Amino acid sequence: MTTVFPDGFHELEPFADWAIQGERARYAKRVASTMEELQAFYDVAFPLLQKGTAYLEQVGMEDIGEQDKRLLWAFCSLVTIAFPVEAWGQPRVPDSGPAGIHAVVEPAV
């Protein structure tokens, strides 16, 4: 069976669609998702954050593999949804109207 993430992160497999390259794309998924979807991903990914950070710190960026990239992107998505889940209770920033995020420069991973 082909897996999206490296060994040891099988719990994230149902959330492979959160392994999104690019902040704009991650933000778009966040605002298009329900709070139930955000919460479900958060509940699985957050407990794996320390393990994932330790794992990714051992990966060289010059030879990063596809599974490792997807793990990194999934944790970037976790960062993108943390405030909505932990503080706001909604996908958008409260009282922000149609404002959005527009990253000018992003890491090339």
Side-chain angles (χ1 to χ4, degrees):
M1 178 171 108
T2 304
T3 59
V4 172
F5 299 107
D7 290 342
F9 297 95
H10 69 276
E11 300 96 331
L12 289 172
E13 292 295 332
F15 302 97
D17 60 331
W18 283 100
I20 304 167
Q21 182 180 15
E23 185 61 30
R24 282 185 184 187
R26 287 189 289 271
Y27 180 81
K29 178 155 176 67
R30 181 183 99 188
V31 298
S33 298
T34 66
M35 280 309 297
E36 291 78 18
E37 292 166 330
L38 298 180
Q39 188 71 57
F41 173 57
Y42 181 93
D43 288 346
V44 171
F46 186 77
L48 296 171
L49 183 57
Q50 282 186 318
K51 177 181 171 182
T53 300
Y55 172 85
L56 289 167
E57 285 176 342
Q58 304 304 311
V59 175
M61 295 308 287
E62 62 282 345
D63 60 344
I64 189 169
E66 289 303 311
Q67 289 181 325
D68 295 337
K69 282 182 191 178
R70 288 189 293 268
L71 183 64
L72 176 61
W73 296 336
F75 285 122
C76 288
S77 288
L78 176 63
V79 171
T80 301
I81 69 158
F83 262 88
V85 171
E86 295 173 358
W88 303 329
Q90 63 186 38
R92 290 191 172 273
V93 178
D95 302 319
S96 65
I101 188 168
H102 302 287
V104 178
V105 178
E106 294 187 45
V109 177

